[in-house]
Amino acid sequence: MASVGTHKHSDYLSRRRAESREYWLIFCVAYLPMLLTTIAGRLGGLAGHRRRDETGPRRSVFAEARAATAACIPFAFM
């Protein structure tokens, strides 16, 4: 019986690794369009206009793109 438990654990870990690789592949594919969109949004706001809800320091373009990508990935699985 111990071998059955080990096999299930091994199968679980392999599925977990596969899902992790799939997530990062989707993240990498979606990150570039989000980065370009974030840069375009920043360039469009070069006149110094900031949204009213932005009161603190602004995040970097890369941090904003990462947050936007992480927010949209769950919709890929719906």
Side-chain angles (χ1 to χ4, degrees), residues 6-19:
T6 305
H7 177 66
K8 286 183 181 179
H9 181 69
S10 175
D11 186 43
Y12 170 76
L13 288 177
S14 66
R15 277 188 282 129
R16 192 85 168 138
R17 277 188 233 115
E19 288 175 359

Side-chain angles (χ1 to χ4, degrees), residues 49-62:
H49 301 282
R50 292 179 74 178
R51 294 189 311 219
R52 293 178 191 225
D53 59 345
E54 293 182 22
T55 56
R58 198 187 301 193
R59 289 190 293 187
S60 73
V61 174
F62 300 108

